[in-house]
Amino acid sequence: MSKNLSSMELRDLLERRGIVFPKETKKRDANKIQEIGYYKLKSFAYPFSHYDANHNLLYENLTFKNLLLRYYQDKNLRIFIFHALEDIEVYLNNVIADALGKYGPFGYLEFKNWCDRSISKFKTEKNQFEFKKNLKKKMKRSNLPDLDNLDNKDEDGFPSVWLMTDCLTFGDSVHLFYAMSPSNKRKVAGKFDCTKDELESWLKCLNFVRNQCVHNENLLDLKLTTKPKIPDLYRDNYALKNQKIVNDRIASIVFIIKFLISQVNGKYKFGNIADSLYKIIGNDDNKAAALGFKNSNAIECLKRRIPC
């Protein structure tokens, strides 16, 4: 837009472009656009958009009610996915601490003890320096009372490996895992009942999705640039396009989380994530396929402990 429009003018603009509004709730709908934001709603309408011959943006088969449904269910989905990722993060940190703990309580501070030896010595030392510098900053921001106990620190004030992991962000933990030697990676991956290559692939995507959740970005229409490996347990529930598995949509992330959280907590209730997706998809297999699911039944499979 090249000029400032009122909330009612924004409502009328969306209507002219093809979004169907009820006539009797003009003021309420205009207020809702102002509350959420025009461009935020526009991002959720994108899958229903196209340009005509004159390069005018138009929408098809989209009501304002369904647009709001997509927005609010995406919001719920972000909350529930973030909750599941937190459980995976805590478990990952404990597994990393266990793997690095074999080098002693402070052995993790010497990257050469446990890192991938294919990484150059210079880069390893640089990574070690940056890690220590950032760890000191994170310690200052941490509220962990045990960090004040001198018995939990070395002579330079760094915490034991078991306290260190509690100071990390999910991204920090993922970077530590990537820096590990193949044998250490296999040990960590074994705790998730997957290969190190699978876990490498999955953690990179999950870190990206976690950041999407934190910054309130659209998950429903997510399209991954780097396609993660497919958990064999859920392979048959992925959508197919030209006889190839679609593994760059939100369905892929959901199946990965489902697989990992099952290793962390076998009783974890996945129903909230499934319900958020089902409210958007319903029984429409085309909508399911747009999100990377084979069909609407694949959503119901998420609620079951044993894969369909």
Side-chain angles (χ1 to χ4, degrees):
M1 289 182 294
S2 58
K3 64 178 181 177
N4 187 32
L5 299 181
S6 68
S7 57
M8 186 61 72
E9 287 173 326
L10 290 172
R11 178 222 172 268
D12 294 342
L13 175 62
L14 291 175
E15 186 173 45
R16 288 197 302 273
R17 288 177 172 174
I19 294 179
V20 179
F21 286 83
K23 300 300 182 184
E24 63 277 8
T25 57
K26 281 190 174 185
K27 186 175 181 180
R28 186 184 69 187
D29 293 339
N31 289 339
K32 184 60 68 174
I33 293 171
Q34 185 177 44
E35 173 192 329
I36 297 172
Y38 168 79
Y39 284 107
K40 176 62 72 174
L41 285 173
K42 186 179 176 183
S43 70
F44 284 93
Y46 179 77
F48 302 86
S49 67
H50 71 278
Y51 287 92
D52 65 13
N54 296 318
H55 304 289
N56 296 312
L57 178 65
L58 298 174
Y59 301 102
E60 286 185 357
N61 303 317
L62 181 62
T63 65
F64 189 62
K65 179 181 179 180
N66 284 336
L67 178 57
L68 290 179
L69 176 67
R70 296 190 97 245
Y71 169 77
Y72 283 115
Q73 291 309 318
D74 182 85
K75 184 177 180 179
N76 290 337
L77 186 64
R78 288 198 307 271
I79 293 171
F80 299 137
I81 282 182
F82 188 80
H83 181 273
L85 288 176
E86 281 186 324
D87 282 14
I88 293 171
E89 177 182 357
V90 170
Y91 187 73
L92 174 66
N93 284 346
N94 290 334
V95 173
I96 288 176
D98 182 56
L100 298 184
K102 70 180 181 182
Y103 302 101
F106 304 104
Y108 75 93
L109 294 167
E110 291 292 334
F111 275 34
K112 64 182 180 181
N113 288 338
W114 54 268
C115 75
D116 189 339
R117 293 183 180 178
S118 67
I119 302 173
S120 71
K121 183 179 179 181
F122 172 79
K123 188 171 182 180
T124 296
E125 290 177 351
K126 181 181 177 182
N127 289 341
Q128 177 180 300
F129 173 78
E130 292 296 331
F131 174 79
K132 287 183 175 181
K133 183 174 71 172
N134 290 329
L135 180 56
K136 283 286 189 180
K137 293 179 181 178
K138 288 179 169 61
M139 289 173 66
K140 290 179 180 179
R141 295 195 295 265
S142 175
N143 293 320
L144 287 171
D146 286 315
L147 285 174
D148 296 326
N149 187 339
L150 294 178
D151 292 338
N152 294 323
K153 297 180 182 179
D154 71 356
E155 59 185 10
D156 294 320
F158 287 103
S160 67
V161 64
W162 300 280
L163 269 178
M164 175 273 292
T165 52
D166 283 331
C167 296
L168 303 181
T169 65
F170 188 64
D172 294 330
S173 301
V174 171
H175 288 142
L176 272 186
F177 175 77
Y178 269 85
M180 284 181 170
S181 66
S183 61
N184 282 323
K185 286 180 180 177
R186 283 192 290 270
K187 182 175 181 180
V188 173
K191 295 292 185 177
F192 287 99
D193 196 26
C194 62
T195 68
K196 71 177 183 63
D197 292 338
E198 286 175 327
L199 193 56
E200 280 183 337
S201 168
W202 297 343
L203 289 180
K204 183 176 182 180
C205 289
L206 294 186
N207 187 41
F208 170 74
V209 169
R210 187 184 186 281
N211 290 335
Q212 294 288 100
C213 292
V214 169
H215 296 292
N216 299 319
E217 297 292 340
N218 183 343
L219 286 187
L220 283 177
D221 303 313
L222 178 73
K223 188 171 183 180
L224 300 168
T225 54
T226 302
K227 298 179 180 181
K229 292 185 179 296
I230 300 166
D232 285 336
L233 279 175
Y234 299 99
R235 182 178 293 272
D236 292 341
N237 292 303
Y238 281 73
L240 294 176
K241 186 175 182 179
N242 299 325
Q243 301 305 310
K244 293 184 178 180
I245 292 178
V246 177
N247 62 326
D248 61 350
R249 302 304 172 97
I250 188 60
S252 187
I253 294 297
V254 170
F255 287 130
I256 289 169
I257 293 174
K258 172 68 173 176
F259 179 89
L260 293 176
I261 203 70
S262 296
Q263 314 308 315
V264 175
N265 179 3
K267 295 183 179 179
Y268 189 90
K269 294 182 179 179
F270 219 73
N272 287 332
I273 292 176
D275 287 343
S276 295
L277 291 165
Y278 193 74
K279 285 177 182 177
I280 295 167
I281 293 171
N283 293 313
D284 191 325
D285 289 344
N286 290 326
K287 289 182 179 179
L291 301 186
F293 295 97
K294 180 179 180 180
N295 50 41
S296 59
N297 287 334
I299 309 298
E300 290 299 312
C301 287
L302 293 171
K303 297 182 180 181
R304 303 174 188 173
R305 293 182 184 176
I306 300 176
C308 300

